[in-house]
Amino acid sequence: MTDSTTTTVRAALSGLSVEEKASLTSGESFWRTKAVGDIPSVMLTDGPHGLRKQREGGDHLGIGDSVPATCFPPAVALGSSWDVELAERVGAALGVESSIEDVAVLLGPGINIKRSPLCGRNFEYLSEDPIVSGVLGTALVRGIQSQGVGASLKHFAANNQEGDRMRSSSDVDERPLRELYLRGFQRVVEDAQPHTVMCSYNRINGVFASENPWLLTDVLRTEWGFEGLVVSDWGAVNDRVAALRAGLDLEMPGSGGQTDAQVAAAVADGTLDEAVLNASAQRNADLAVRWAATPRAEGPLDVDAHHGLAREAAARSIVLLKNDAPEGAAGSILPLRPDQSIAVIGAFAEKPRYQGAGSSMIRPTRLDDALTSIRAAAGDVVFARGFSVAIDVSSEETARLRDEAVSTASSADVAVVFAGLPARLESEGYDREDIDLPADQLALIDAVVAANPRTVVVLSNGGVVALPFADAVPAIVEAWLLGQAGGSATSDVLFGAVNPSGKLTETIPRRLEDTPAFLNFGGEEGHVRYGEGLFVGYRWYDARRMDVAYPFGHGLSYTTFGYGDAAATTTFGDVEVRVTVTNTGDRDGHEIVQVYTSLPGSTVQRAPRELKGFASVALAAGESREVTILVRRADLAYWDVRAQRWVVEGGDYMVEVGASSRDLRTTATVAVTGDEVRLPLTRESSLAEVMAHPVAGPMVQAALAGMAQMMEGASAIMPEGVSMDKMMGSFPIGRIGMMAGGQVTPEMIDGLIAAANAPQQ
């Protein structure tokens, strides 16, 4: 905020009544805030991968009649680019389109963790890992806000399923809540200061997110330093006064003044401090006045340029899962050659599924399909629909479509099957029931492969799917939901005009039963127990040494990359990792260099390895480059439940660098100095904890030396190798007297505790 804007806001608020200030903190309509006095109304509208602005006179949701806008790749795809610079450029384009349409706040990005592949809204989220979500989320926010438009970071927090989302309680222990589900939000807030944060519908450990002062005030504002406005998800407010008191600044949509009256009455009867209302009113006024003073981007929109960016982003987001040679052939099946005869099969090639269903549905400025683009790139292309996405399809029609596809594929040099999830199987508002492709599509793939082993499968899906055909086909392309230019981008990758460089930001499991939240997802009686704790995504599979279809971070290229020896050093507390990467193939390409850390012998529970940094590196064929990746000291910290703060445990950290979580090419070790954690001792403190205490430890050692004869006698009757220290290590110090034969009195124990807890000089 500039000084002049601050002055304007203060002047505008100074003469307002309590009722007028209350009205500032709720919407006028579905998409707009109220204009009060000199404070203007502003529009907030849906994203996150495009502008979904309702046309004048359209339905109140605007889903059926929004203005045309560029549909960029949804987060499920863009996350797989792992490219910070690309994400920021997409964000800036979103900001430009919002500014042209006089939209003050674009509702996005969404950075919730992909706890389970069953979440119906996973297509709007970036990753199963908080570092990926936080870094790419920061880039998107910076891009959007570079145009003066506010971002709305969502959905805060622990919103990891759609089923019963308006009421259910996400019951999460402190460490996973902090280390997984809040960590990405913390990164974005601290690095990018989004203008708004959107609170989610759900409860967190029994308390609605909209009424949670610990979440909205203690953590978000006090700990992380958030300076902006907290807005509700649409319809997330349960109790307006409680929400305002907790730190919620803006209820959306408006209630026709009903909840404004509740707020004014609460101030009048003293149940709501007027200072709380004043603070929220000021934040709303700040947002509105800042937007009024912000120059708008000049229109009209450069549709071609933004479509070109959408095509670039889509191509960079495609993940090449597999690329082998067909049986009896030499060389990989991809890229395709224009002189090949190509059979294109599958309804999605002709009518692409390019975005998820629900509030984020964008009306695109144009729409590319893969079939048209493939025909433009190759001369001999035939097409068969192969399957129908309609709900009620007869078995006869299913068989006819499959037989037609088999006939089409049998005589072609290569068959490309476009398969995926129909829109009805994944949507906002409800969750998936399984991770399987429809049975008719699986049968189609089997039949096509039997007729033509030279088959490529291209997937269109917003969440991962099981791949029972993986061993049978030579190539699999994970094309996600790619936005409006996805068809041409897919053709670019298939023919090698763009070298694929996307990598998975979520693990593809072999079975739903293998997934971390399998026994806990969905919950019952309004509670969802996050029983997998810290072990979400690749952390779970690695800890259990479990086979997966394709691991986190995996993605192939038409070229190859070699890694030199990694080196790791500490720099001002952070860890600097350096490694030379070489493009050892004959094509230019991007490599996603990933850095994972672990601490052998850690005193707290940890995953075998955790991603802590990454970089997207462009390398020409034959080029080598030293890549430097900074691992922040804060990202090495775990949440100490006892101390109620972040703690970096000291020790020799293993740093693993590679091409995926299971393709680790080089390892280094770096010594990291730990944070001192001195907890108050109590009678419940264990003997081991007392012995480790810098004050109490030496005192106890001296006392034990005086009891040496007794200790030696006890040790003498123990079997060889049994450790008395380990046996007694967990014994509470308050009960040690019973083992000391009267030599240790309660007064002595209390004196020891008092000495240990006394302020140190």
Side-chain angles (χ1 to χ4, degrees):
M1 294 288 290
T2 64
D3 291 342
S4 61
T5 303
T6 301
T7 300
T8 300
V9 169
R10 288 175 178 171
L13 289 172
S14 62
L16 297 185
S17 66
V18 167
E19 289 75 14
E20 288 173 320
K21 286 184 286 190
S23 70
L24 274 177
T25 63
S26 71
E28 173 66 33
S29 61
F30 206 81
W31 299 113
R32 300 197 68 92
T33 64
K34 293 188 184 73
V36 179
D38 294 330
I39 300 167
S41 168
V42 298
M43 173 173 274
L44 303 84
T45 200
D46 275 323
H49 55 272
L51 177 67
R52 193 180 70 78
K53 179 186 177 183
Q54 176 186 354
R55 284 182 183 273
E56 294 295 331
D59 64 280
H60 75 287
L61 290 174
I63 293 177
D65 191 22
S66 56
V67 300
T70 308
C71 181
F72 291 97
V76 63
L78 189 61
S80 293
S81 76
W82 297 66
D83 193 310
V84 175
E85 185 269 340
L86 178 63
E88 188 162 344
R89 283 196 287 134
V90 169
L94 292 168
V96 166
E97 297 197 23
S98 300
S99 182
I100 289 173
E101 292 291 341
D102 195 26
V103 170
V105 176
L106 185 72
L107 303 179
I111 66 165
N112 293 96
I113 292 296
K114 298 185 183 188
R115 175 179 176 242
S116 167
L118 294 181
C119 177
R121 209 169 181 177
N122 272 355
F123 55 81
E124 281 193 30
Y125 301 138
L126 291 161
S127 180
E128 67 187 22
D129 182 85
I131 298 297
V132 176
S133 296
V135 171
L136 295 181
T138 295
L140 285 164
V141 169
R142 282 177 171 163
I144 293 167
Q145 296 190 168
S146 70
Q147 305 305 309
V149 175
S152 191
L153 189 65
K154 64 181 188 179
H155 302 90
F156 191 58
N159 180 190
N160 309 106
Q161 67 183 53
E162 291 297 287
D164 202 24
R165 61 177 178 164
M166 305 288 285
R167 305 176 302 172
S168 67
S169 175
S170 300
D171 296 342
V172 198
D173 292 339
E174 280 189 84
R175 278 195 65 195
L177 181 58
R178 288 283 195 163
E179 294 180 29
L180 296 178
Y181 299 103
L182 297 183
R183 197 167 211 152
F185 285 97
Q186 181 174 2
R187 179 70 164 253
V188 180
V189 167
E190 292 180 344
D191 284 9
Q193 278 294 337
H195 291 181
T196 75
V197 167
M198 180 191 291
C199 82
S200 54
Y201 291 119
N202 54 291
R203 293 176 169 95
I204 300 169
N205 293 325
V207 182
F208 277 110
S210 62
E211 300 174 14
N212 197 319
W214 173 83
L215 182 72
L216 302 184
T217 297
D218 297 348
V219 173
L220 180 61
R221 293 199 184 279
T222 304
E223 290 186 26
W224 300 351
F226 178 59
E227 299 172 355
L229 176 149
V230 177
V231 59
S232 73
D233 201 344
W234 268 233
V237 173
N238 175 63
D239 181 323
R240 175 78 183 286
V241 174
L244 196 62
R245 191 184 296 118
L248 181 81
D249 299 305
L250 176 61
E251 178 191 34
M252 291 297 290
S255 64
Q258 294 180 10
T259 58
D260 297 343
Q262 294 170 8
V263 170
V267 171
D269 67 20
T271 56
L272 177 67
D273 189 340
E274 187 173 353
V276 171
L277 172 60
N278 291 342
S280 285
Q282 179 168 333
R283 292 181 192 119
N284 281 280
D286 286 344
L287 180 72
V289 171
R290 173 167 51 190
W291 179 241
T294 299
R296 305 297 188 264
E298 293 186 9
L301 173 66
D302 189 337
V303 172
D304 291 341
H306 280 216
H307 186 78
L309 176 58
R311 182 172 179 170
E312 177 190 354
R316 292 284 306 285
S317 300
I318 291 172
V319 181
L320 180 60
L321 295 178
K322 181 181 181 181
N323 189 24
D324 292 345
E327 186 175 347
S332 301
I333 192 171
L334 293 176
L336 301 176
R337 299 191 316 273
D339 61 352
Q340 291 176 301
S341 62
I342 301 170
V344 176
I345 295 166
F348 293 128
E350 185 180 33
K351 294 184 178 179
R353 179 157 180 258
Y354 58 97
Q355 61 180 327
S359 63
S360 65
M361 290 179 65
I362 310 303
R363 183 183 177 196
T365 57
R366 65 179 63 163
L367 183 60
D368 297 349
D369 68 86
L371 179 59
T372 299
S373 297
I374 291 171
R375 281 176 167 160
D380 187 2
V381 178
V382 291
F383 172 68
R385 280 196 341 171
F387 60 87
S388 172
V389 296
I391 297 175
D392 297 319
V393 182
S394 68
S395 58
E396 292 80 10
E397 175 68 1
T398 298
R400 186 192 69 78
L401 291 171
R402 183 168 60 246
D403 291 345
E404 179 186 32
V406 168
S407 176
T408 302
S410 60
S411 59
D413 291 334
V414 62
V416 183
V417 179
F418 284 78
L421 295 176
R424 66 179 182 273
L425 295 183
E426 50 182 1
S427 170
E428 178 182 356
Y430 58 89
D431 294 313
R432 296 166 63 187
E433 296 179 359
D434 54 50
I435 59 170
D436 300 326
L437 288 173
D440 60 334
Q441 294 188 36
L442 292 173
L444 171 69
I445 293 170
D446 290 343
V448 169
V449 171
N452 187 344
R454 301 175 302 280
T455 296
V456 177
V457 174
V458 179
L459 297 170
S460 298
N461 46 296
V464 297
V465 294
L467 305 171
F469 50 83
D471 293 336
V473 300
I476 304 174
V477 176
E478 178 52 90
W480 305 118
L481 307 179
L482 290 174
Q484 68 180 52
S488 52
T490 301
S491 178
D492 290 342
V493 168
L494 289 175
F495 285 95
V498 173
N499 193 348
S501 59
K503 298 206 175 192
L504 297 174
T505 59
E506 54 188 308
T507 306
I508 301 180
R510 291 200 175 275
R511 310 179 308 155
L512 177 61
E513 291 84 354
D514 295 339
T515 58
F518 176 67
L519 295 176
N520 292 293
F521 186 79
E524 58 187 15
E525 298 178 355
H527 287 269
V528 185
R529 176 65 187 152
Y530 284 45
E532 66 281 1
L534 296 166
F535 298 94
V536 172
Y538 67 91
R539 292 166 168 83
W540 167 266
Y541 301 107
D542 287 353
R544 300 198 67 190
R545 300 182 183 178
M546 185 179 291
D547 191 25
V548 299
Y550 292 100
F552 177 85
H554 170 77
L556 304 177
S557 170
Y558 296 151
T559 189
T560 54
F561 298 95
Y563 285 67
D565 293 334
T569 55
T570 54
T571 305
F572 302 109
D574 299 326
V575 174
E576 188 176 84
V577 181
R578 298 181 307 281
V579 63
T580 297
V581 182
T582 303
N583 184 337
T584 55
D586 58 3
R587 289 173 177 263
D588 298 350
H590 288 77
E591 172 66 332
I592 312 300
V593 182
Q594 301 161 46
V595 174
Y596 297 83
T597 68
S598 59
L599 181 59
S602 174
T603 60
V604 297
Q605 187 181 56
R606 296 176 185 263
R609 65 187 54 83
E610 295 181 295
L611 182 81
K612 295 300 178 185
F614 61 89
S616 175
V617 184
L619 293 169
E623 181 184 3
S624 295
R625 184 181 305 170
E626 184 178 72
V627 179
T628 301
I629 298 174
L630 191 71
V631 175
R632 297 183 180 185
R633 178 178 175 85
D635 289 334
L636 295 175
Y638 72 93
W639 182 258
D640 191 313
V641 175
R642 304 164 307 162
Q644 286 293 291
R645 64 180 176 89
W646 291 102
V647 171
V648 174
E649 186 178 4
D652 292 334
Y653 281 73
M654 181 180 292
V655 178
E656 297 173 292
V657 184
S660 84
S661 61
R662 293 193 174 180
D663 183 9
L664 301 166
R665 308 288 185 85
T666 177
T667 302
T669 301
V670 62
V672 174
T673 303
D675 295 330
E676 182 180 6
V677 181
R678 185 177 296 183
L679 299 171
L681 295 183
T682 70
R683 281 179 162 267
E684 287 299 304
S685 299
S686 70
L687 183 59
E689 291 168 341
V690 173
M691 293 291 285
H693 193 278
V695 175
M699 297 171 66
V700 173
Q701 286 280 14
L704 289 177
M707 300 164 58
Q709 185 175 0
M710 181 194 74
M711 298 298 290
E712 289 173 3
S715 298
I717 64 173
M718 290 295 168
E720 184 177 357
V722 174
S723 169
M724 283 293 294
D725 290 342
K726 290 183 178 179
M727 285 184 64
M728 297 297 295
S730 62
F731 210 88
I733 190 67
R735 304 180 212 173
I736 204 72
M738 63 178 286
M739 304 295 292
Q743 297 187 52
V744 178
T745 66
E747 291 75 18
M748 293 170 64
I749 293 172
D750 290 341
L752 174 71
I753 292 172
N757 294 339
Q760 302 301 305
Q761 299 298 321

